[in-house]
Amino acid sequence: MGDKALILTFMDRSGAIAVERVADSFGMSKTQLAETVGLGREALYKAARNRTPKTQMRIREMLEIISRVTEWAGGKEQAMAWYRAQPIPAFGGRTAEALVKEGKAGAVRDYLDHLAVGGFA
């Protein structure tokens, strides 16, 4: 499943990522999802805030990374576990989650692209 395909499954009719649908899909509360993407709880509980560009971008980044690892991780739940807990040696042992919180999702995507074409971890 490509990055876009996973993201599209969570979009509402207006083209925004439906925060509640993402949280439900991964068995999380909106508070847990906010923590996972590095946002305050209110960013996902207040309707006006969960559609802001920053909120939408953070959730999109998380979904893009998860979609890239879903196949080799064994499913989206396992991909989420990898995202949240697996230290990445190339980033000093930080997790994908930590890197997204730091605004470094692009570096994680580049790293995963490097691995996908046969590069070394």
Side-chain angles (χ1 to χ4, degrees):
M1 179 182 299
D3 295 358
K4 304 291 186 256
L6 180 65
I7 292 167
L8 288 174
T9 65
F10 295 110
M11 290 211 167
D12 63 20
R13 292 177 190 253
S14 71
I17 296 171
V19 170
E20 195 161 301
R21 199 178 306 161
V22 175
D24 289 347
S25 176
F26 288 102
M28 298 179 171
S29 68
K30 288 194 274 186
T31 299
Q32 290 169 316
L33 179 59
E35 290 170 2
T36 300
V37 296
L39 297 170
R41 176 185 182 277
E42 63 283 345
L44 300 188
Y45 277 94
K46 295 185 177 183
R49 300 253 339 253
N50 72 31
R51 298 175 84 70
T52 66
K54 179 180 179 180
T55 299
Q56 289 286 305
M57 180 187 70
R58 284 284 178 88
I59 294 173
R60 178 181 294 268
E61 289 171 342
M62 178 197 76
L63 291 172
E64 287 173 351
I65 291 166
I66 287 171
S67 71
R68 289 178 189 212
V69 302
T70 295
E71 188 175 325
W72 58 260
K76 76 177 176 54
E77 289 78 15
Q78 294 89 340
M80 176 58 82
W82 177 90
Y83 172 87
R84 297 191 80 194
Q86 184 64 45
I88 304 171
F91 293 105
R94 289 178 292 173
T95 63
E97 177 182 36
L99 293 160
V100 168
K101 288 178 180 180
E102 294 171 16
K104 297 179 180 170
V108 178
R109 288 190 303 263
D110 290 346
Y111 169 78
L112 293 172
D113 288 346
H114 173 74
L115 294 179
V117 296
F120 292 101

